[in-house]
Amino acid sequence: MDKVEEQNNTLFIAFISIVATIGGFLFGFDSGVINGTVDGLQQAFQSESAGTGFNVSSMLLGCAVGAFFAGRLADKFGRRSILLVASVFFIISAWGSGVATGSFEFVIYRVLGGLAVGAASVMAPAYISEVAPARYRGMLTTVQQIAIITGLFMAFVSNYILADLAGLSTQKLWMDYEAWRWMFWMELAPACLFFLMLLFIPESPRFLVVSGRKDDAKDVLQKLYGDAAGESKVNEIDASLAADKHQPKLSDLFDKVTGKVRKIVWVGIGLAAFQQLVGINVVFYYGAVLWQAVGFDESQSLLINVISGAVSIAACVITIAVIDKIGRKPLLKWGSIGMSVTLGIMVYAFMNSDVDASGNLVLGSMGTVALVAANAYVFFFNMSWGPVMWVMLGEMFPNQIRGSGLAVAGLVQWFTNFVITWTFPMLLTGVGLAGAYGLYTIAAVLSVLFVIKLVHETKGIELEDMQG
């Protein structure tokens, strides 16, 4: 293959990977936009802590269902087809969340958005893994996390600007609608772009081979890798399926000899659960509430969210540079260690703070310590578990069980996310910030042991050679 052809193939891979990661951007934006709307939701729908927790976390129920069924449906209809459906759901949810007049209506639209986020969360990294060469598969899949964090960051920036323009998120802005409603409507532009751009990318070649469409798969692979390499890759994929060639199904997750769930599936479940048990999405979803609880006003709290978003992007850029060089496991291990330390420092800061007459925590001299530790924690997460978990889930399963493995891991990831997010307001009023973050610290420490004992490196291994 000459240099011009190789360059064209690389540009094509980059293009379709970028299109797929718009789903990640929407994943991040849809997850982060709720952060600035909590006060508006409480005022508009007259909800207490448990009700607010459910309004905020309701999307995550949709995410769990979307992730589970997206993996299964993608085995039947294709990765690209499911991403197209997700893009339509993003559009409907963005509009509906802003026009909702009650909690029930709002929850319906947020669950629809959750279905889209769940589908995009598992399908975008899987799609990128299935089109990218092994030598820079980790880097391209990590771009997905940068897209997620960029989406979060842009949601934080958008929330901050809109609240600033209106005075408060609960005040009227344009066309007599409150600022918090416009925060949701900002998502319409990228959601429509995602739908249009998906029309220009091909179906996953590995899905095409599994579906018996080898000629179509060869055409796609030749565009990706060149004529000779494309034909060879079709045969390689076909050979990896030859020993057990049937339409993928959930029962493939069980070992045919022992009848037990395959070990690789348990590892995927563990990765998915620990990514949420460390409490990262409490920072993303409740950042404004958290910082207001310790004495910052709404504007300052939203600005802190913007800073955290920028730190997250910087961490992901570092991961892109090193993930295909040093591997996945070292990043997970050191990320877990870093999170354990920084979460522990946050707990110490919260435990050694004063309480005012209203019962609110006042950090005082511990404010700087907590703020630095929180952003260091966000940094460690986004250089490790944030991107690396999605990279590993997209590549660690053998071809035959990739869709089903992602379905189960995605369900666990989003259900754990839901539980953590729903319970935080109740933990905040029950055991306080120190108690809540103490639980997340314990999970971070346990994740260190999990990585060391059970996670195996996947760097540089072709998808056809993954063992499970």
Side-chain angles (χ1 to χ4, degrees):
M1 180 167 57
D2 61 40
K3 287 187 177 180
V4 174
E5 186 183 7
E6 183 176 3
Q7 185 178 37
N8 288 338
N9 292 338
T10 302
L11 287 173
F12 183 59
I13 291 170
F15 168 72
I16 59 181
S17 297
I18 289 169
V19 172
T21 58
I22 298 175
F25 178 91
L26 288 164
F27 167 1
F29 196 101
D30 208 60
S31 300
V33 71
I34 197 74
N35 197 307
T37 66
V38 174
D39 287 344
L41 293 172
Q42 285 180 322
Q43 189 177 106
F45 305 149
Q46 301 296 307
S47 55
E48 300 301 327
S49 60
T52 299
F54 189 76
N55 283 335
V56 172
S57 61
S58 59
M59 180 191 78
L60 305 176
L61 289 176
C63 291
V65 174
F68 180 77
F69 284 102
R72 299 293 301 121
L73 292 172
D75 280 339
K76 187 172 183 179
F77 299 108
R79 280 56 165 147
R80 175 177 170 269
S81 300
I82 299 305
L83 288 173
L84 274 166
V85 172
S87 69
V88 174
F89 282 8
F90 274 124
I91 294 169
I92 296 171
S93 174
W95 173 253
S97 297
V99 300
T101 56
S103 285
F104 179 76
E105 184 184 356
F106 177 79
V107 166
I108 293 298
Y109 284 118
R110 288 300 286 167
V111 169
L112 269 180
L115 291 172
V117 170
S121 71
V122 296
M123 278 303 102
Y127 179 86
I128 294 169
S129 292
E130 292 185 346
V131 299
R135 66 182 180 277
Y136 46 81
R137 187 178 62 226
M139 179 187 72
L140 285 175
T141 311
T142 302
V143 173
Q144 160 82 352
Q145 182 66 13
I146 285 202
I148 294 170
I149 297 305
T150 302
L152 279 164
F153 177 71
M154 292 308 296
F156 294 155
V157 170
S158 172
N159 288 354
Y160 175 73
I161 292 172
L162 292 172
D164 188 60
L165 287 172
L168 285 171
S169 62
T170 52
Q171 298 296 312
K172 299 286 179 69
L173 187 53
W174 301 306
M175 299 170 61
D176 210 34
Y177 287 109
E178 297 92 339
W180 69 267
R181 296 185 185 275
W182 284 100
M183 291 175 183
F184 288 113
W185 292 336
M186 289 297 111
E187 189 181 344
L188 284 168
C192 291
L193 177 65
F194 185 41
F195 175 81
L196 292 173
M197 296 302 287
L198 282 170
L199 300 176
F200 296 95
I201 67 173
E203 184 51 82
S204 160
R206 286 173 172 86
F207 165 76
L208 293 172
V209 173
V210 170
S211 303
R213 297 161 59 186
K214 288 178 65 175
D215 289 340
D216 291 337
K218 185 168 74 172
D219 289 342
V220 174
L221 286 164
Q222 286 176 337
K223 290 178 183 177
L224 295 171
Y225 305 138
D227 292 344
E231 182 145 9
S232 150
K233 179 58 74 174
V234 168
N235 296 330
E236 192 179 323
I237 296 169
D238 198 43
S240 75
L241 299 165
D244 187 19
K245 197 167 186 179
H246 61 271
Q247 187 67 26
K249 53 186 187 292
L250 275 176
S251 60
D252 293 331
L253 300 180
F254 293 86
D255 188 292
K256 286 184 170 55
V257 177
T258 64
K260 296 179 181 179
V261 175
R262 297 190 191 195
K263 183 180 177 182
I264 194 70
V265 177
W266 285 117
V267 173
I269 288 171
L271 286 169
F274 274 118
Q275 196 213 38
Q276 293 305 309
L277 290 172
V278 297
I280 188 63
N281 280 323
V282 166
V283 175
F284 288 148
Y285 299 153
Y286 291 108
V289 174
L290 189 157
W291 296 116
Q292 286 180 69
V294 294
F296 294 94
D297 63 30
E298 182 185 63
S299 179
Q300 291 170 327
S301 298
L302 291 172
L303 183 58
I304 291 170
N305 286 342
V306 172
I307 295 169
S308 295
V311 169
S312 300
I313 294 172
C316 287
V317 169
I318 292 172
T319 303
I320 279 184
V322 302
I323 189 168
D324 286 320
K325 296 175 183 174
I326 68 174
R328 287 65 161 147
K329 184 168 181 172
L331 286 171
L332 288 175
K333 183 179 74 172
W334 289 107
S336 290
I337 293 170
M339 288 190 295
S340 299
V341 172
T342 50
L343 281 167
I345 293 172
M346 289 176 71
V347 172
Y348 176 81
F350 294 146
M351 288 178 67
N352 288 274
S353 299
D354 297 322
V355 178
D356 65 17
S358 302
N360 296 318
L361 200 64
V362 180
L363 284 177
S365 61
M366 285 289 164
T368 302
V369 174
L371 196 56
V372 171
N375 280 293
Y377 159 66
V378 167
F379 177 85
F380 279 114
F381 177 85
N382 283 295
M383 67 162 283
S384 60
W385 282 82
V388 177
M389 186 214 71
W390 292 115
V391 171
M392 293 204 72
L393 290 185
E395 67 185 10
M396 66 190 282
F397 298 110
N399 282 333
Q400 185 66 40
I401 68 167
R402 185 165 300 115
S404 298
L406 277 166
V408 171
L411 175 66
V412 169
Q413 197 267 355
W414 286 111
F415 182 74
T416 309
N417 191 337
F418 168 74
V419 171
I420 295 295
T421 306
W422 182 40
T423 56
F424 177 70
M426 290 176 277
L427 286 173
L428 190 60
T429 56
V431 297
L433 280 173
Y437 275 81
L439 295 174
Y440 308 146
T441 304
I442 292 170
V445 172
L446 292 175
S447 73
V448 179
L449 302 176
F450 172 78
V451 172
I452 292 172
K453 295 288 186 181
L454 297 173
V455 174
H456 297 290
E457 186 58 69
T458 55
K459 174 175 72 86
I461 301 173
E462 292 289 345
L463 296 187
E464 284 63 53
D465 297 325
M466 294 294 175
Q467 300 297 313

